[in-house]
Amino acid sequence: MSWHPQYRSSKFRHVYGKAASKDKCYDCVPITRNVHDNHFCAVNPHFIAVVTECAGGGAFLVIPIHQTGKLDPHYPKICGHKGSVLDIKWNPFNDFVIASCSEDATVKIWDIPKHLLTKNITSPKKELLGHVRRVGLIEWHPTANNILFSSGYDYKIMIWNLDTKEAIISNPVKILDAHKDVVLSMSFNTDGSLLATACRDRKIRLIDPRAGTVLQVASYKSHRVNKVLFLGNMKKLFSTGTSRWNNRQIALWDQNDLSVPLLEEDLDGSSGLLFPFYDSDTHMLYVVGKGDGNIRYYEISPEKPYLNYLMEYRSHLPQKGIGMMPKRGLEVSACEIFRFYKLIPTKSLIEPISMIVPRRSESYQEDIYPLTTGAQPALTAQEWLNGVNKGPLLVSLRPGSGAVNSLLQFPETEPLVETVDLSQHQGQEGKKPLEDLQKPSDNADRIKQLTIEEKLPKNEQKCLSNDFDIFECPPPKTENELLQMFYRQQEEIRRLRELVNQRDVQIKQLQLELRNLCVNRGNY
């Protein structure tokens, strides 16, 4: 019988949660008292939006992300709804557009000005009228621009195309009528071609949203589902809910077989809802409890045991809702890999909580920051509606690697330079002109790097790139492959510079040693 060690190697084994100091929290925020099971908070790198208490209708606040401290009691609100606001979501491709849904059966799209708000905003950019009962959930499509999903208490999910000039849209492009009760949760896979839903009838459904067909149904009786989440490209679903004994429970499902869960685990006997969050870059899963102050986090693996418990962040202050900062808004210099914004209505406080990987080095840690989803859409709304699937466009979080909004633009009118043509090393002809993604000095460094590589023997040329042989790899065919090639070359340039600096230091040390030897011999 073989012996298996009780520990496992992981770079995220010691991740810990760190609450922000009081001066970096948002104080005196009138957080909503609504009992609806939603996050009530949406965050992007510019703003934090939170649903607030409002007499005679529904409203939410939009606060600049750096405006911490006490909030002015007369701070302007977004208050165009006639009923309580139930959900808010920022457009993933425009940090100044937010969607909200309400008990008044409408969905509204708002433009947020770039300057500081001076008065209440009451007129939305667009108004979506289609539901006949209150709308409880909204979700933006992860890769297609201006596609919004809404779910109401009329048991319908509606798909809206916002690429129109009309201010009032009454006809959704598609209505999904596959549910017999209220939809509690919606989640997309990575490219947005599949939609997973959790319904009050205790079933998980896997739906093709464009065809409107239900591909899989999970009706496992011992797990009453509340929230469901796609786990990136792992081809797995994660759900939270309750067991038949009313214990809080988590379950893991195979996307291709929802008959029986791969894993089922009872957590505790509390009554609060569990909100799941997944980071596809680090494969870490966070489970946040409503009504308590705990955040459990796990690491997902493709093989058994699938779910590896790491640690738990604990606090005596219970959270009513939670917001999540996109990866492009994190503090990479502090090795921050995730950030929550915790709503504490008992203290009228919003408290940021950073999940940090402890590292001694202050340099950029590329192993914990792979290429991540950027702020550029991969598809237009019409392309997605026509059946095209495409994964998200990726960007680097390395400081100075370029603005997120302009990394993936390749205008032909800009001056062009020839990048490293990998095909010439394979004896092929033709070069592919691309936009100059580097500064002139970086281009000069790249030319120097190429001359160095040409002078080296073949067996040494392969050692120059980090796990990537640029002479045996075909030329990039997509923008993502091109970006990955670009960042690998940048990393190689940085590594060569460090190597040169180390050699300079060694040369100086040897010169000092020779000088000391000469002095010692002269003394003798």
Side-chain angles (χ1 to χ4, degrees):
M1 185 175 67
S2 61
W3 178 78
H4 296 279
Q6 296 297 316
Y7 64 91
R8 50 184 298 275
S9 176
S10 170
K11 65 186 78 170
F12 304 110
R13 200 153 46 109
H14 301 292
V15 169
Y16 66 95
K18 180 181 180 183
S21 56
K22 188 66 181 291
D23 60 318
K24 293 184 179 178
C25 295
Y26 306 83
D27 203 0
C28 300
V29 181
I31 300 167
T32 181
R33 306 284 176 175
N34 197 307
V35 295
H36 193 72
D37 288 328
N38 258 346
H39 297 159
F40 295 124
C41 181
V43 188
N44 68 26
H46 292 94
F47 300 105
I48 174 170
V50 58
V51 180
T52 182
E53 281 293 295
C54 180
F60 60 95
L61 294 166
V62 174
I63 308 168
I65 201 73
H66 298 298
Q67 188 178 322
T68 55
K70 288 189 176 181
L71 186 72
D72 185 348
H74 302 292
Y75 190 84
K77 297 181 176 69
I78 317 296
C79 52
H81 283 287
K82 297 177 181 177
S84 298
V85 175
L86 299 180
D87 198 11
I88 49 176
K89 292 280 168 46
W90 287 105
N91 187 333
F93 311 118
N94 189 338
D95 289 341
F96 300 94
V97 172
I98 189 169
S100 64
C101 64
S102 166
E103 288 184 348
D104 62 10
T106 65
V107 179
K108 296 181 190 289
I109 312 298
W110 308 86
D111 269 340
I112 306 301
K114 297 184 180 181
H115 57 79
L116 191 66
L117 287 177
T118 55
K119 61 180 181 179
N120 290 347
I121 297 179
T122 57
S123 300
K125 176 185 179 182
K126 290 183 186 295
E127 191 170 2
L128 314 182
L129 306 176
H131 291 280
V132 295
R133 298 184 64 187
R134 59 178 172 170
V135 186
L137 283 173
I138 47 176
E139 287 288 346
W140 293 93
H141 193 275
T143 61
N145 197 23
N146 287 327
I147 292 287
L148 182 69
F149 283 58
S150 64
S151 170
Y153 277 64
D154 52 7
Y155 310 158
K156 295 177 181 178
I157 296 176
M158 297 188 180
I159 306 175
W160 304 89
N161 180 5
L162 306 183
D163 269 346
T164 58
K165 295 181 179 179
E166 293 92 7
I168 297 178
I169 305 175
S170 345
N171 298 317
V173 292
K174 186 79 178 177
I175 298 178
L176 307 180
D177 199 5
H179 300 86
K180 306 300 180 185
D181 210 328
V182 178
V183 176
L184 303 174
S185 174
M186 295 189 292
S187 176
F188 290 99
N189 64 343
T190 305
D191 62 5
S193 61
L194 295 174
L195 176 71
T197 63
C199 184
R200 194 175 280 173
D201 62 6
R202 303 178 184 179
K203 293 181 180 179
I204 298 174
R205 290 173 175 85
L206 193 61
I207 301 172
D208 182 343
R210 284 170 295 204
T213 55
V214 179
L215 306 177
Q216 293 268 342
V217 178
S219 54
Y220 193 63
K221 293 183 179 179
S222 67
H223 179 71
R224 292 178 290 185
V225 63
N226 283 322
K227 299 291 179 184
V228 67
L229 186 69
F230 259 105
L231 298 183
N233 288 323
M234 305 285 284
K235 294 191 179 297
K236 291 180 176 60
L237 294 173
F238 179 82
S239 66
T240 65
T242 56
S243 68
R244 61 179 63 185
W245 309 111
N246 282 332
N247 290 325
R248 294 202 291 191
Q249 191 179 62
I250 58 176
L252 193 68
W253 308 80
D254 184 355
Q255 176 182 316
N256 300 317
D257 181 14
L258 299 182
S259 57
V260 179
L262 298 172
L263 182 73
E264 196 177 12
E265 183 180 333
D266 286 9
L267 295 186
D268 54 39
S270 299
S271 58
L273 201 70
L274 293 171
F275 295 118
F277 296 88
Y278 181 64
D279 181 2
S280 57
D281 298 336
T282 60
H283 303 298
M284 284 185 65
L285 175 75
Y286 302 86
V287 180
V288 182
K290 180 180 178 181
D292 57 57
N294 300 342
I295 301 175
R296 299 173 175 87
Y297 40 103
Y298 305 81
E299 193 170 4
I300 303 293
S301 57
E303 300 174 352
K304 288 185 178 181
Y306 304 119
L307 201 63
N308 301 289
Y309 176 78
L310 294 175
M311 213 176 292
E312 182 176 4
Y313 169 81
R314 294 188 178 185
S315 168
H316 67 282
L317 297 173
Q319 58 243 359
K320 180 183 181 62
I322 201 88
M324 178 203 74
M325 173 67 79
K327 288 301 268 300
R328 53 196 173 88
L330 297 181
E331 191 84 31
V332 295
S333 60
C335 295
E336 182 185 36
I337 58 170
F338 217 79
R339 189 191 305 163
F340 293 102
Y341 286 80
K342 175 178 172 180
L343 306 186
I344 309 170
T346 55
K347 291 184 173 290
S348 298
L349 187 72
I350 303 176
E351 181 184 46
I353 298 172
S354 299
M355 311 306 293
I356 296 173
V357 179
R359 295 281 174 95
R360 291 183 179 179
S361 174
E362 295 181 358
S363 61
Y364 179 74
Q365 306 293 310
E366 191 168 9
D367 61 323
I368 61 175
Y369 294 117
L371 294 179
T372 190
T373 303
Q376 288 286 339
L379 297 167
T380 63
Q382 199 56 50
E383 284 175 340
W384 183 79
L385 291 171
N386 290 340
V388 180
N389 292 326
K390 194 173 181 182
L393 299 181
L394 305 178
V395 296
S396 172
L397 297 179
R398 177 185 291 277
S401 61
V404 171
N405 290 332
S406 61
L407 268 174
L408 297 169
Q409 297 174 359
F410 296 92
E412 297 180 359
T413 56
E414 296 293 327
L416 301 176
V417 296
E418 292 178 350
T419 58
V420 182
D421 186 9
L422 302 179
S423 59
Q424 78 178 30
H425 296 288
Q426 298 177 337
Q428 300 178 2
E429 295 181 356
K431 295 185 178 181
K432 195 174 184 178
L434 294 169
E435 182 185 3
D436 186 6
L437 293 174
Q438 291 178 292
K439 298 178 182 177
S441 60
D442 292 335
N443 289 326
D445 290 333
R446 183 190 289 185
I447 293 169
K448 290 179 183 177
Q449 176 193 354
L450 286 176
T451 56
I452 291 172
E453 290 179 356
E454 288 172 0
K455 292 178 181 179
L456 288 174
K458 290 184 179 179
N459 60 346
E460 292 186 14
Q461 287 181 0
K462 292 183 180 180
C463 301
L464 279 176
S465 49
N466 297 330
D467 301 324
F468 183 76
D469 185 4
I470 63 174
F471 299 105
E472 293 182 359
C473 183
K477 296 179 181 179
T478 65
E479 292 176 355
N480 283 342
E481 291 179 1
L482 176 67
L483 279 173
Q484 291 175 3
M485 178 77 68
F486 169 68
Y487 292 126
R488 285 191 179 105
Q489 289 173 346
Q490 288 286 83
E491 180 63 25
E492 187 59 42
I493 291 170
R494 185 192 63 80
R495 196 182 67 82
L496 288 171
R497 284 175 179 165
E498 291 180 354
L499 189 62
V500 170
N501 291 336
Q502 291 174 3
R503 296 284 168 86
D504 289 341
V505 171
Q506 290 175 356
I507 290 170
K508 290 180 180 178
Q509 289 177 346
L510 290 172
Q511 287 175 344
L512 287 173
E513 289 178 4
L514 285 172
R515 192 177 301 170
N516 291 335
L517 285 172
C518 293
V519 170
N520 291 335
R521 286 181 179 176
N523 291 337
Y524 285 116

